[in-house]
């Protein structure tokens, strides 16, 4: 099965040697997104703003692949402080509805570019 590279100009450019997403069959693997504004390239300020930007960036890449956040089946979220866990859950409900994707939320010592939240995902495109 061949793979294709997915790119969206509405999401930040990769900050390393990787693709925004890779599609294999009907499955799309979305690389981690942090709260970078795709226009300025700057990290937005604060947990809420970064979390919203992360999901906005994920949505842009998902849409470039022909899907949307509702097609995500597995979400991985990384935060530098689990004290933000409840707020993360609240913000997530602004982007996802039941049935929710499977999810892991993990505290990380540090994230790229000083971010305080990051998320990656796997989505399956509807036929």
């Amino acid at each position: 099965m061949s793979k294709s590279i997915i790119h969206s100009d509405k999401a930040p450019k990769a900050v390393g040697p990787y693709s925004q997403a890779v599609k294999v069959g009907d499955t799309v693997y979305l690389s981690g997104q942090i709260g970078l504004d795709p226009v300025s390239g700057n990290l937005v300020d604060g947990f809420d703003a970064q979390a919203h930007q992360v999901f906005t960036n994920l949505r842009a890449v998902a849409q470039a692949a022909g899907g949307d956040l509702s097609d995500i089946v597995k979400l991985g979220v990384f935060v530098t402080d689990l004290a933000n866990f409840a707020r993360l859950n609240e913000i997530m409900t602004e982007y996802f509805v039941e049935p929710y994707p499977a999810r892991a939320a993990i505290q990380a010592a540090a994230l790229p570019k000083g971010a305080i939240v990051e998320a990656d995902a796997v989505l399956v495109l509807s036929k």
Side-chain angles (χ1 to χ4, degrees):
M1 193 170 275
S2 66
K3 67 180 181 180
S4 58
I5 303 304
I6 306 299
H7 173 78
S8 172
D9 289 331
K10 295 180 180 178
K13 293 178 182 176
V15 296
Y18 60 89
S19 301
Q20 289 176 333
V22 177
K23 179 181 173 194
V24 180
D26 292 330
T27 304
V28 183
Y29 302 89
L30 288 81
S31 293
Q33 288 288 333
I34 58 176
L36 290 176
D37 178 286
V39 175
S40 71
N42 295 326
L43 197 62
V44 297
D45 291 328
F47 182 83
D48 284 23
Q50 285 191 30
H52 283 289
Q53 190 65 56
V54 162
F55 293 123
T56 298
N57 292 344
L58 279 177
R59 175 180 283 143
V61 178
Q63 289 175 340
D68 210 329
L69 294 178
S70 60
D71 296 308
I72 291 176
V73 296
K74 174 69 168 81
L75 184 66
V77 182
F78 308 89
V79 295
T80 57
D81 187 349
L82 276 175
N84 291 315
F85 185 75
R87 187 65 189 128
L88 171 66
N89 288 337
E90 292 171 8
I91 292 169
M92 254 191 79
T93 63
E94 297 179 39
Y95 296 89
F96 296 90
V97 296
E98 291 188 51
Y100 298 118
R103 183 189 82 180
I106 300 164
Q107 182 170 316
L111 294 169
K113 298 209 173 258
I116 54 179
V117 60
E118 179 176 4
D120 65 3
V122 176
L123 69 82
V124 177
L125 297 170
S126 305
K127 292 190 178 200

